[in-house]
Amino acid sequence: MKKIGSHISFKAPNYLVGAIEESLKNKATALMIYLGAPQSSRRVDKEKYKLDEYIEKYKNIIVPEDIVVHAPYITNPANPEKQEFTIDFLVQEIERMNYIGAKHLVLHPGAHTKFERSHAIETLIDSLNKIFERTSNVEISIETMAGKGTEIGKTLKELKYIVEKVKNPRLNICLDTCHIWDAGYDIKKLDEFIDELKKYDLKKLIKVIHVNDSKNPIGAAKDRHENIGKGFIGLDPLKKIVNSKEFEDAIMILETPWVNGTPIYDKEIEMLK
Ligand code: FE
Ligand code: FE
Ligand code: ZN
């Protein structure tokens, strides 16, 4: 079955059990959580996750491998000044994931800020190597970025360079449809885009796809997600990606805005199927 779900909040009092139940209500078969607030490194004790109850009731309905975890935004693995903090934090985050059995950690490659772009990229490569050395099992998917501000990881060429340098079988790619569109790639021409991915040997590394429409025209480099079918990409191209044979093993995750204070993931998942 197609693996599709959305970003779901992971919160008190039911944590894992709550997140799974909300996903099932949306007819999702996968989900993505942050193990704490996306903008914070504060984390609750693992004992609170309700892991036993999840295993007992839901483990066979949504398997742990299909619970994607997104690293918090504050981690910038490309910033040399914050590298030590980021590595330590992500190593612990991966330990929390191993406790659950979650497999994919989505990580933003970071921003080069005041540093040279090349220095930031080498820092990212070094961070990834050190994280892999100190952890096991969990795979990291670095996300394709819109190129807002000084973000790195905007082009396939740059992502290829990073993957090639790290050369670790636990390093994958998370394709974000809004970001890649904003970065200037015309995903409406899907065959050509897939050829481009293959040219860089990256297609096979796409394990997670963030399915979002974009509030902006192609190349805008803004990173503002829109609801499915309401933006500049549109429903049909997104539906094609979700149902493409080429991406049949990737986990599809929606990160679309809430409407009038509530998520509409249930409707959007239905639209995309
Ligand atoms: Fe992201
Ligand atoms: Fe994303
Ligand atoms: Zn985004």
Side-chain angles (χ1 to χ4, degrees):
M1 192 173 34
K2 168 113 265 134
K3 290 171 183 177
I4 183 166
S6 66
H7 166 222
I8 291 286
S9 56
F10 178 75
K11 58 177 196 290
N14 291 322
Y15 293 99
L16 263 184
V17 169
I20 296 285
E21 287 176 348
E22 197 181 330
S23 299
L24 292 174
K25 248 198 283 172
N26 295 337
K27 299 214 163 55
T29 51
L31 62 154
M32 184 177 81
I33 56 178
Y34 288 81
L35 295 177
Q39 62 283 12
S40 140
S41 60
R42 275 193 51 207
R43 292 295 181 255
V44 298
D45 211 331
K46 299 199 283 288
E47 316 306 300
K48 293 198 172 150
Y49 288 2
K50 299 214 172 181
L51 180 66
D52 293 343
E53 192 182 336
Y54 157 68
I55 289 173
E56 200 188 312
K57 291 187 182 163
Y58 301 119
K59 195 186 183 220
N60 300 322
I61 304 174
I62 294 183
V63 297
E65 292 82 1
D66 294 340
I67 303 173
V68 176
V69 172
H70 197 308
Y73 303 142
I74 42 138
T75 52
N76 181 354
N79 183 334
E81 280 170 358
K82 294 182 184 145
Q83 194 187 12
E84 217 183 285
F85 160 81
T86 302
I87 292 171
D88 287 340
F89 176 82
L90 291 174
V91 165
Q92 291 169 47
E93 194 83 330
I94 288 173
E95 283 163 9
R96 286 183 279 268
M97 289 176 67
N98 277 327
Y99 172 75
I100 298 171
K103 187 173 174 191
H104 301 284
L105 176 66
V106 173
L107 177 67
H108 291 184
H112 66 80
T113 62
K114 64 184 178 187
F115 302 95
E116 287 291 332
R117 189 179 192 90
S118 58
H119 185 195
I121 291 171
E122 295 314 316
T123 305
L124 168 66
I125 291 165
D126 184 54
S127 299
L128 289 166
N129 283 330
K130 287 180 171 145
I131 293 165
F132 284 129
E133 249 167 58
R134 288 172 55 187
T135 57
S136 58
N137 306 318
V138 167
E139 300 182 2
I140 297 177
S141 292
I142 46 172
E143 185 165 349
T144 64
M145 302 310 288
K148 190 180 66 185
T150 64
E151 275 173 357
I152 59 174
K154 174 185 177 173
T155 64
L156 297 181
K157 191 177 166 207
E158 199 165 272
L159 291 164
K160 172 67 181 171
Y161 175 80
I162 295 161
V163 165
E164 196 79 321
K165 277 291 202 85
V166 177
K167 243 193 176 30
N168 190 304
R170 288 164 62 207
L171 185 62
N172 302 312
I173 301 285
C174 166
L175 173 75
D176 185 308
T177 56
C178 167
H179 298 177
I180 201 89
W181 171 262
D182 278 31
Y185 291 90
D186 190 357
I187 52 172
K188 290 189 185 190
K189 296 182 181 135
L190 188 57
D191 293 342
E192 284 171 37
F193 176 64
I194 287 172
D195 284 346
E196 191 75 1
L197 286 171
K198 285 180 177 164
K199 185 176 112 190
Y200 289 101
D201 225 9
L202 292 174
K203 207 218 76 177
K204 60 174 198 275
L205 295 183
I206 297 175
K207 299 291 165 75
V208 179
I209 299 184
H210 285 166
V211 186
N212 304 305
D213 212 326
S214 174
K215 281 193 196 294
N216 292 287
I218 186 166
K222 289 269 175 45
D223 187 5
R224 299 206 45 220
H225 302 186
E226 181 54 285
N227 289 102
I228 305 298
K230 294 275 193 282
F232 279 82
I233 305 172
L235 174 62
D236 281 348
L238 293 170
K239 213 170 163 170
K240 254 195 209 152
I241 290 171
V242 167
N243 297 292
S244 168
K245 263 236 158 257
E246 300 276 4
F247 300 124
E248 65 185 347
D249 297 322
I251 302 175
M252 307 286 165
I253 299 290
L254 283 86
E255 303 174 294
T256 46
W258 291 18
V259 176
N260 301 322
T262 38
I264 58 162
Y265 301 130
D266 54 344
K267 291 190 194 72
E268 294 182 301
I269 289 171
E270 174 75 40
M271 283 163 74
L272 287 165
K273 272 186 187 166

